[in-house]
Amino acid sequence: MTTMTEPIRFAVTSQNFRTITGHAGKARRFILFEATGPDDIAEIGRLDLPIEMAMHGFDDRQSHPLDGVDLLLTGGAGDGFVMRMARRGIRVVRTGETDPVAAIRSCYLGTLKPPAPHDHDHDHGHAHGEGHSCGCGHGH
């Protein structure tokens, strides 16, 4: 009996709809992907949200267009944003990779490029001992 791998929904912060950008808390543009493995990645949509929908000032008691995403890839995010998204069931992964598809592929392969120290939104020591794998290859 063959089992289908459950697809993972990714959101990528991308102010230009081409590359991964940072400032996740203030980001309003996202590319949405669905993937079942490193070689099965498809863009499924784009979000271009009004300023009041940026997570930085958003009321967490309301539903949000990112709800239902499993993993958010970004060039930079503060720990507060990471915790806020975790409460919504969304895992945030910071990366120095700028190509969205390459970043998703690297998640599955466990080779995701870590963010450069200057790529963070805020200067407050982040712990990066997790190996920079988003865990996609572990049956998320």
Side-chain angles (χ1 to χ4, degrees):
M1 182 175 196
T2 306
T3 58
M4 291 281 291
T5 302
E6 196 66 29
I8 297 173
R9 290 188 176 246
F10 292 84
V12 175
T13 56
S14 182
Q15 286 306 104
N16 58 16
F17 287 129
R18 289 187 310 277
T19 60
I20 298 174
T21 56
H23 303 287
K26 295 182 179 181
R28 297 178 9 225
R29 288 184 171 174
F30 300 86
I31 307 172
L32 304 175
F33 293 89
E34 194 168 85
T36 57
D39 298 317
D40 184 19
I41 301 166
E43 182 178 327
I44 59 169
R46 295 178 178 202
L47 295 176
D48 192 354
L49 304 174
I51 194 163
E52 63 271 10
M53 296 299 283
M55 292 306 292
H56 184 71
F58 188 74
D59 181 351
D60 282 334
R61 297 170 293 185
Q62 298 177 14
S63 63
H64 192 274
L66 288 173
D67 292 346
V69 166
D70 299 302
L71 200 141
L72 187 142
L73 286 168
T74 185
D79 289 340
F81 176 82
V82 173
M83 289 186 288
R84 228 176 141 179
M85 296 308 284
R87 288 192 296 269
R88 297 186 90 85
I90 300 170
R91 181 169 178 197
V92 176
V93 176
R94 297 169 266 215
T95 182
E97 176 60 64
T98 58
D99 179 272
V101 173
I104 293 169
R105 184 173 290 119
S106 293
C107 273
Y108 279 99
L109 301 175
T111 59
L112 189 61
K113 179 180 175 182
H118 66 277
D119 287 344
H120 293 299
D121 286 349
H122 306 286
D123 185 21
H124 50 229
H126 298 289
H128 292 290
E130 73 274 2
H132 301 289
S133 169
C134 67
C136 296
H138 301 289
H140 183 345

Short mmCIF file of all heavy atoms in Angstrom, two decimals, residues 13-63:
data_model
loop_
_atom_site.label_atom_id
_atom_site.label_comp_id
_atom_site.label_asym_id
_atom_site.label_seq_id
_atom_site.Cartn_x
_atom_site.Cartn_y
_atom_site.Cartn_z
N THR A 13 8.25 35.37 2.77
CA THR A 13 8.19 36.84 2.74
C THR A 13 8.93 37.30 1.49
O THR A 13 10.07 36.92 1.26
CB THR A 13 8.84 37.47 3.99
OG1 THR A 13 10.18 37.01 4.13
CG2 THR A 13 8.05 37.15 5.25
N SER A 14 8.24 38.09 0.67
CA SER A 14 8.85 38.53 -0.58
C SER A 14 8.24 39.84 -1.03
O SER A 14 7.22 39.87 -1.72
CB SER A 14 8.65 37.47 -1.67
OG SER A 14 9.28 37.88 -2.87
N GLN A 15 8.88 40.93 -0.66
CA GLN A 15 8.37 42.25 -1.03
C GLN A 15 8.37 42.47 -2.55
O GLN A 15 7.59 43.26 -3.05
CB GLN A 15 9.16 43.35 -0.32
CG GLN A 15 8.82 43.46 1.16
CD GLN A 15 7.33 43.64 1.42
OE1 GLN A 15 6.63 42.72 1.83
NE2 GLN A 15 6.83 44.83 1.17
N ASN A 16 9.23 41.75 -3.28
CA ASN A 16 9.30 41.92 -4.73
C ASN A 16 8.69 40.74 -5.51
O ASN A 16 8.75 40.71 -6.73
CB ASN A 16 10.75 42.14 -5.17
CG ASN A 16 11.66 41.00 -4.77
OD1 ASN A 16 11.22 39.90 -4.42
ND2 ASN A 16 12.96 41.26 -4.79
N PHE A 17 8.11 39.78 -4.80
CA PHE A 17 7.53 38.56 -5.39
C PHE A 17 8.55 37.78 -6.23
O PHE A 17 8.17 37.03 -7.12
CB PHE A 17 6.28 38.87 -6.23
CG PHE A 17 5.08 39.22 -5.41
CD1 PHE A 17 4.36 40.36 -5.69
CD2 PHE A 17 4.65 38.41 -4.37
CE1 PHE A 17 3.23 40.70 -4.94
CE2 PHE A 17 3.52 38.73 -3.62
CZ PHE A 17 2.82 39.88 -3.90
N ARG A 18 9.84 37.93 -5.91
CA ARG A 18 10.87 37.16 -6.60
C ARG A 18 11.83 36.49 -5.63
O ARG A 18 12.22 35.36 -5.84
CB ARG A 18 11.67 38.05 -7.56
CG ARG A 18 10.91 38.49 -8.78
CD ARG A 18 11.78 39.23 -9.78
NE ARG A 18 12.59 40.29 -9.21
CZ ARG A 18 12.18 41.54 -8.97
NH1 ARG A 18 10.95 41.88 -9.25
NH2 ARG A 18 12.99 42.44 -8.45
N THR A 19 12.25 37.24 -4.60
CA THR A 19 13.25 36.73 -3.68
C THR A 19 12.72 36.77 -2.24
O THR A 19 11.78 37.49 -1.93
CB THR A 19 14.54 37.57 -3.74
OG1 THR A 19 14.24 38.91 -3.39
CG2 THR A 19 15.17 37.52 -5.13
N ILE A 20 13.38 36.00 -1.38
CA ILE A 20 13.04 36.01 0.04
C ILE A 20 13.58 37.29 0.65
O ILE A 20 14.75 37.60 0.51
CB ILE A 20 13.63 34.78 0.76
CG1 ILE A 20 13.06 33.48 0.17
CG2 ILE A 20 13.37 34.86 2.27
CD1 ILE A 20 13.70 32.24 0.72
N THR A 21 12.71 38.03 1.30
CA THR A 21 13.11 39.26 1.97
C THR A 21 12.87 39.12 3.47
O THR A 21 12.23 38.17 3.92
CB THR A 21 12.35 40.47 1.39
OG1 THR A 21 10.94 40.23 1.50
CG2 THR A 21 12.70 40.70 -0.08
N GLY A 22 13.35 40.07 4.22
CA GLY A 22 13.25 40.01 5.68
C GLY A 22 12.14 40.88 6.22
O GLY A 22 11.15 41.17 5.54
N HIS A 23 12.33 41.29 7.47
CA HIS A 23 11.35 42.13 8.17
C HIS A 23 9.97 41.47 8.18
O HIS A 23 8.98 42.08 7.83
CB HIS A 23 11.29 43.53 7.57
CG HIS A 23 12.60 44.23 7.55
ND1 HIS A 23 13.20 44.72 8.70
CD2 HIS A 23 13.46 44.47 6.54
CE1 HIS A 23 14.36 45.25 8.38
NE2 HIS A 23 14.56 45.11 7.09
N ALA A 24 9.95 40.21 8.58
CA ALA A 24 8.73 39.42 8.50
C ALA A 24 7.55 40.05 9.23
O ALA A 24 6.42 39.97 8.76
CB ALA A 24 8.98 38.00 9.04
N GLY A 25 7.78 40.68 10.35
CA GLY A 25 6.69 41.28 11.11
C GLY A 25 5.98 42.39 10.37
O GLY A 25 4.80 42.65 10.58
N LYS A 26 6.70 43.08 9.49
CA LYS A 26 6.13 44.17 8.72
C LYS A 26 5.82 43.79 7.28
O LYS A 26 5.30 44.59 6.51
CB LYS A 26 7.08 45.37 8.75
CG LYS A 26 7.22 45.94 10.15
CD LYS A 26 8.11 47.14 10.17
CE LYS A 26 8.21 47.68 11.60
NZ LYS A 26 9.04 48.87 11.67
N ALA A 27 6.15 42.55 6.91
CA ALA A 27 5.94 42.09 5.53
C ALA A 27 4.45 42.04 5.19
O ALA A 27 3.63 41.67 6.02
CB ALA A 27 6.56 40.71 5.33
N ARG A 28 4.15 42.43 3.96
CA ARG A 28 2.77 42.38 3.48
C ARG A 28 2.65 41.56 2.20
O ARG A 28 1.55 41.31 1.72
CB ARG A 28 2.26 43.80 3.26
CG ARG A 28 2.22 44.57 4.56
CD ARG A 28 1.77 46.00 4.45
NE ARG A 28 1.24 46.41 3.18
CZ ARG A 28 1.57 47.56 2.56
NH1 ARG A 28 2.43 48.38 3.10
NH2 ARG A 28 1.03 47.88 1.41
N ARG A 29 3.78 41.18 1.65
CA ARG A 29 3.76 40.37 0.43
C ARG A 29 4.39 39.01 0.69
O ARG A 29 5.48 38.92 1.24
CB ARG A 29 4.52 41.08 -0.69
CG ARG A 29 3.77 42.28 -1.22
CD ARG A 29 4.50 42.88 -2.36
NE ARG A 29 3.68 43.91 -2.99
CZ ARG A 29 4.09 44.70 -3.95
NH1 ARG A 29 5.33 44.58 -4.42
NH2 ARG A 29 3.28 45.59 -4.46
N PHE A 30 3.66 37.99 0.29
CA PHE A 30 4.08 36.61 0.51
C PHE A 30 3.82 35.80 -0.74
O PHE A 30 2.80 35.98 -1.41
CB PHE A 30 3.28 35.98 1.66
CG PHE A 30 3.44 36.69 2.97
CD1 PHE A 30 2.62 37.77 3.29
CD2 PHE A 30 4.40 36.28 3.90
CE1 PHE A 30 2.75 38.43 4.50
CE2 PHE A 30 4.53 36.95 5.11
CZ PHE A 30 3.71 38.02 5.41
N ILE A 31 4.73 34.89 -1.04
CA ILE A 31 4.50 33.89 -2.09
C ILE A 31 4.11 32.62 -1.35
O ILE A 31 4.78 32.23 -0.38
CB ILE A 31 5.74 33.65 -2.96
CG1 ILE A 31 6.28 34.95 -3.53
CG2 ILE A 31 5.40 32.67 -4.10
CD1 ILE A 31 7.62 34.80 -4.24
N LEU A 32 3.05 31.97 -1.79
CA LEU A 32 2.57 30.75 -1.14
C LEU A 32 2.94 29.54 -2.00
O LEU A 32 2.77 29.56 -3.23
CB LEU A 32 1.07 30.81 -0.96
CG LEU A 32 0.56 32.02 -0.17
CD1 LEU A 32 -0.96 32.03 -0.15
CD2 LEU A 32 1.12 32.04 1.23
N PHE A 33 3.44 28.50 -1.35
CA PHE A 33 3.84 27.27 -2.03
C PHE A 33 3.23 26.08 -1.31
O PHE A 33 2.93 26.14 -0.12
CB PHE A 33 5.37 27.11 -1.99
CG PHE A 33 6.14 28.12 -2.79
CD1 PHE A 33 6.54 29.31 -2.21
CD2 PHE A 33 6.46 27.87 -4.12
CE1 PHE A 33 7.26 30.24 -2.93
CE2 PHE A 33 7.18 28.81 -4.85
CZ PHE A 33 7.58 29.99 -4.26
N GLU A 34 3.11 25.00 -2.06
CA GLU A 34 2.74 23.72 -1.48
C GLU A 34 3.76 22.72 -1.98
O GLU A 34 4.13 22.75 -3.16
CB GLU A 34 1.32 23.33 -1.91
CG GLU A 34 0.74 22.20 -1.10
CD GLU A 34 -0.74 22.05 -1.37
OE1 GLU A 34 -1.07 21.35 -2.35
OE2 GLU A 34 -1.55 22.62 -0.62
N ALA A 35 4.23 21.85 -1.09
CA ALA A 35 5.25 20.88 -1.47
C ALA A 35 5.02 19.55 -0.76
O ALA A 35 4.54 19.52 0.37
CB ALA A 35 6.63 21.43 -1.13
N THR A 36 5.39 18.48 -1.45
CA THR A 36 5.35 17.16 -0.83
C THR A 36 6.76 16.56 -0.74
O THR A 36 6.92 15.46 -0.22
CB THR A 36 4.44 16.19 -1.60
OG1 THR A 36 4.88 16.11 -2.95
CG2 THR A 36 3.00 16.65 -1.55
N GLY A 37 7.74 17.28 -1.26
CA GLY A 37 9.12 16.82 -1.20
C GLY A 37 10.01 17.81 -1.92
O GLY A 37 9.53 18.79 -2.50
N PRO A 38 11.33 17.55 -1.93
CA PRO A 38 12.27 18.50 -2.53
C PRO A 38 12.10 18.68 -4.04
O PRO A 38 12.54 19.68 -4.59
CB PRO A 38 13.64 17.92 -2.17
CG PRO A 38 13.40 16.48 -1.92
CD PRO A 38 12.01 16.38 -1.37
N ASP A 39 11.46 17.73 -4.68
CA ASP A 39 11.28 17.82 -6.13
C ASP A 39 9.82 18.02 -6.53
O ASP A 39 9.47 17.89 -7.70
CB ASP A 39 11.83 16.56 -6.80
CG ASP A 39 13.32 16.41 -6.56
OD1 ASP A 39 14.04 17.42 -6.66
OD2 ASP A 39 13.76 15.29 -6.24
N ASP A 40 8.98 18.33 -5.56
CA ASP A 40 7.56 18.56 -5.83
C ASP A 40 7.11 19.83 -5.10
O ASP A 40 6.50 19.77 -4.04
CB ASP A 40 6.73 17.35 -5.37
CG ASP A 40 5.25 17.50 -5.72
OD1 ASP A 40 4.93 18.33 -6.60
OD2 ASP A 40 4.43 16.80 -5.10
N ILE A 41 7.48 20.97 -5.68
CA ILE A 41 7.21 22.28 -5.08
C ILE A 41 6.43 23.10 -6.10
O ILE A 41 6.86 23.25 -7.24
CB ILE A 41 8.53 23.01 -4.74
CG1 ILE A 41 9.37 22.17 -3.76
CG2 ILE A 41 8.25 24.40 -4.16
CD1 ILE A 41 10.81 22.62 -3.63
N ALA A 42 5.28 23.61 -5.69
CA ALA A 42 4.45 24.39 -6.61
C ALA A 42 3.99 25.68 -5.95
O ALA A 42 3.55 25.68 -4.80
CB ALA A 42 3.22 23.57 -7.03
N GLU A 43 4.11 26.78 -6.70
CA GLU A 43 3.55 28.05 -6.22
C GLU A 43 2.03 27.94 -6.33
O GLU A 43 1.51 27.57 -7.38
CB GLU A 43 4.06 29.22 -7.05
CG GLU A 43 3.54 30.55 -6.54
CD GLU A 43 4.06 31.76 -7.32
OE1 GLU A 43 5.21 31.74 -7.80
OE2 GLU A 43 3.29 32.74 -7.44
N ILE A 44 1.33 28.30 -5.24
CA ILE A 44 -0.13 28.18 -5.25
C ILE A 44 -0.83 29.51 -5.08
O ILE A 44 -2.06 29.58 -5.11
CB ILE A 44 -0.63 27.17 -4.19
CG1 ILE A 44 -0.18 27.59 -2.78
CG2 ILE A 44 -0.17 25.76 -4.52
CD1 ILE A 44 -0.84 26.81 -1.66
N GLY A 45 -0.06 30.59 -4.89
CA GLY A 45 -0.70 31.89 -4.75
C GLY A 45 0.25 32.95 -4.24
O GLY A 45 1.41 32.68 -3.92
N ARG A 46 -0.27 34.16 -4.18
CA ARG A 46 0.47 35.30 -3.66
C ARG A 46 -0.46 36.15 -2.82
O ARG A 46 -1.64 36.27 -3.13
CB ARG A 46 1.05 36.15 -4.80
CG ARG A 46 2.08 35.39 -5.60
CD ARG A 46 2.61 36.19 -6.75
NE ARG A 46 3.63 35.39 -7.44
CZ ARG A 46 4.57 35.89 -8.20
NH1 ARG A 46 4.64 37.20 -8.41
NH2 ARG A 46 5.45 35.11 -8.78
N LEU A 47 0.10 36.73 -1.77
CA LEU A 47 -0.66 37.65 -0.93
C LEU A 47 -0.02 39.03 -1.03
O LEU A 47 1.19 39.16 -0.92
CB LEU A 47 -0.64 37.20 0.53
CG LEU A 47 -1.31 35.88 0.89
CD1 LEU A 47 -1.10 35.57 2.37
CD2 LEU A 47 -2.78 35.93 0.56
N ASP A 48 -0.85 40.04 -1.25
CA ASP A 48 -0.41 41.43 -1.23
C ASP A 48 -1.38 42.13 -0.28
O ASP A 48 -2.44 42.60 -0.69
CB ASP A 48 -0.47 42.02 -2.64
CG ASP A 48 0.24 43.36 -2.74
OD1 ASP A 48 0.66 43.89 -1.69
OD2 ASP A 48 0.35 43.87 -3.86
N LEU A 49 -1.01 42.16 0.98
CA LEU A 49 -1.92 42.56 2.05
C LEU A 49 -1.87 44.07 2.31
O LEU A 49 -0.83 44.70 2.16
CB LEU A 49 -1.55 41.83 3.33
CG LEU A 49 -1.53 40.30 3.25
CD1 LEU A 49 -1.00 39.71 4.55
CD2 LEU A 49 -2.91 39.76 2.93
N PRO A 50 -2.99 44.63 2.77
CA PRO A 50 -2.97 46.04 3.18
C PRO A 50 -2.13 46.18 4.46
O PRO A 50 -1.93 45.21 5.19
CB PRO A 50 -4.45 46.35 3.45
CG PRO A 50 -5.09 45.03 3.67
CD PRO A 50 -4.30 44.01 2.92
N ILE A 51 -1.67 47.38 4.72
CA ILE A 51 -0.76 47.64 5.85
C ILE A 51 -1.31 47.14 7.19
O ILE A 51 -0.56 46.64 8.03
CB ILE A 51 -0.36 49.13 5.91
CG1 ILE A 51 0.84 49.30 6.83
CG2 ILE A 51 -1.55 50.00 6.31
CD1 ILE A 51 1.57 50.60 6.66
N GLU A 52 -2.60 47.23 7.38
CA GLU A 52 -3.17 46.79 8.66
C GLU A 52 -3.14 45.27 8.84
O GLU A 52 -3.40 44.76 9.93
CB GLU A 52 -4.60 47.32 8.85
CG GLU A 52 -5.60 46.83 7.86
CD GLU A 52 -5.71 47.70 6.60
OE1 GLU A 52 -4.88 48.60 6.39
OE2 GLU A 52 -6.65 47.47 5.82
N MET A 53 -2.79 44.52 7.78
CA MET A 53 -2.70 43.07 7.87
C MET A 53 -1.26 42.60 8.14
O MET A 53 -1.04 41.39 8.31
CB MET A 53 -3.22 42.42 6.58
CG MET A 53 -4.70 42.67 6.31
SD MET A 53 -5.79 42.04 7.60
CE MET A 53 -5.78 40.30 7.20
N ALA A 54 -0.29 43.52 8.18
CA ALA A 54 1.08 43.13 8.56
C ALA A 54 1.02 42.62 10.00
O ALA A 54 0.32 43.19 10.84
CB ALA A 54 2.02 44.32 8.44
N MET A 55 1.73 41.57 10.30
CA MET A 55 1.63 40.93 11.61
C MET A 55 2.11 41.84 12.75
O MET A 55 1.68 41.68 13.88
CB MET A 55 2.42 39.62 11.63
CG MET A 55 1.82 38.54 10.74
SD MET A 55 0.07 38.16 11.05
CE MET A 55 0.14 37.41 12.66
N HIS A 56 2.97 42.79 12.46
CA HIS A 56 3.53 43.66 13.49
C HIS A 56 2.44 44.35 14.32
O HIS A 56 2.56 44.46 15.53
CB HIS A 56 4.46 44.71 12.85
CG HIS A 56 5.14 45.58 13.84
ND1 HIS A 56 6.14 45.12 14.68
CD2 HIS A 56 4.96 46.89 14.15
CE1 HIS A 56 6.54 46.11 15.45
NE2 HIS A 56 5.86 47.19 15.16
N GLY A 57 1.37 44.79 13.69
CA GLY A 57 0.32 45.48 14.42
C GLY A 57 -1.01 44.76 14.38
O GLY A 57 -2.03 45.31 14.79
N PHE A 58 -1.02 43.52 13.92
CA PHE A 58 -2.26 42.78 13.73
C PHE A 58 -2.81 42.25 15.04
O PHE A 58 -2.07 41.79 15.91
CB PHE A 58 -2.02 41.63 12.75
CG PHE A 58 -3.25 40.92 12.33
CD1 PHE A 58 -4.14 41.50 11.44
CD2 PHE A 58 -3.55 39.66 12.82
CE1 PHE A 58 -5.30 40.85 11.06
CE2 PHE A 58 -4.70 39.00 12.44
CZ PHE A 58 -5.57 39.59 11.55
N ASP A 59 -4.13 42.27 15.18
CA ASP A 59 -4.82 41.75 16.36
C ASP A 59 -4.86 40.21 16.26
O ASP A 59 -5.54 39.66 15.40
CB ASP A 59 -6.24 42.32 16.41
CG ASP A 59 -7.02 41.84 17.63
OD1 ASP A 59 -6.55 40.95 18.36
OD2 ASP A 59 -8.13 42.38 17.84
N ASP A 60 -4.14 39.55 17.15
CA ASP A 60 -4.03 38.09 17.11
C ASP A 60 -5.34 37.35 17.34
O ASP A 60 -5.43 36.15 17.11
CB ASP A 60 -3.00 37.61 18.14
CG ASP A 60 -1.58 37.82 17.67
OD1 ASP A 60 -1.34 37.85 16.45
OD2 ASP A 60 -0.70 37.95 18.53
N ARG A 61 -6.36 38.04 17.78
CA ARG A 61 -7.65 37.38 18.01
C ARG A 61 -8.44 37.20 16.73
O ARG A 61 -9.46 36.52 16.72
CB ARG A 61 -8.47 38.18 19.03
CG ARG A 61 -7.79 38.24 20.41
CD ARG A 61 -8.49 39.22 21.30
NE ARG A 61 -8.28 40.57 20.74
CZ ARG A 61 -8.67 41.69 21.32
NH1 ARG A 61 -9.32 41.65 22.45
NH2 ARG A 61 -8.43 42.85 20.76
N GLN A 62 -7.98 37.81 15.65
CA GLN A 62 -8.67 37.72 14.36
C GLN A 62 -8.01 36.67 13.47
O GLN A 62 -6.84 36.34 13.63
CB GLN A 62 -8.63 39.06 13.64
CG GLN A 62 -9.32 40.18 14.38
CD GLN A 62 -9.17 41.50 13.64
OE1 GLN A 62 -8.78 41.55 12.48
NE2 GLN A 62 -9.48 42.59 14.33
N SER A 63 -8.78 36.16 12.50
CA SER A 63 -8.18 35.26 11.52
C SER A 63 -7.32 36.09 10.57
O SER A 63 -7.51 37.30 10.43
CB SER A 63 -9.27 34.48 10.76
OG SER A 63 -10.08 35.37 10.03
#
